[in-house]
Amino acid sequence: MAQSDEENVRHLPRSRLREWPISLVLLGIGLSMIFVATDHFRRGSVVLAASVVLAAFLRLFLPENQAGMLSVRSKSVDVAVMAVLGVGLTIFALWVPAPN
């Protein structure tokens, strides 16, 4: 049997709350974009790198049923890709000279 509209609405907030890991990462990415847009290139780049590293740590330590949208492939592949990207972004953020 199909669920009624009332039952669907009642379960909606709970399912959205389960996506807090990706929401936290996206908040960090949005904050980094604000820093870059306000001429704080290095600070924005470091916050972006920290957001990707945070995503890697969340994917590593959260169980499968709580990782939500951070779970794309197997845990080892997700963590490895995000860790390499996060460390690479950190190196480039600190290596590239700030614009004058």
Side-chain angles (χ1 to χ4, degrees):
M1 271 191 168
Q3 291 181 342
S4 70
D5 288 338
E6 183 178 309
E7 288 176 352
N8 288 335
V9 171
R10 189 173 54 206
H11 292 293
L12 186 63
R14 179 179 240 177
S15 65
R16 286 188 182 163
L17 290 176
R18 295 179 70 186
E19 295 301 330
W20 69 267
I22 193 71
S23 298
L24 185 62
V25 171
L26 289 174
L27 180 67
I29 291 171
L31 183 63
S32 73
M33 295 299 116
I34 291 171
F35 280 134
V36 171
T38 58
D39 269 349
H40 297 286
F41 169 77
R42 187 171 312 262
R43 188 176 300 156
S45 299
V46 170
V47 171
L48 177 64
S51 298
V52 175
V53 171
L54 173 66
F57 279 117
L58 288 173
R59 179 67 174 111
L60 179 63
F61 294 116
L62 288 176
E64 289 286 329
N65 62 347
Q66 291 181 2
M69 292 180 72
L70 288 177
S71 178
V72 178
R73 294 163 293 278
S74 69
K75 183 179 268 194
S76 59
V77 172
D78 283 343
V79 171
V81 167
M82 286 188 280
V84 167
L85 286 173
V87 169
L89 282 170
T90 303
I91 290 169
F92 286 134
L94 299 176
W95 185 7
V96 173
N100 293 328

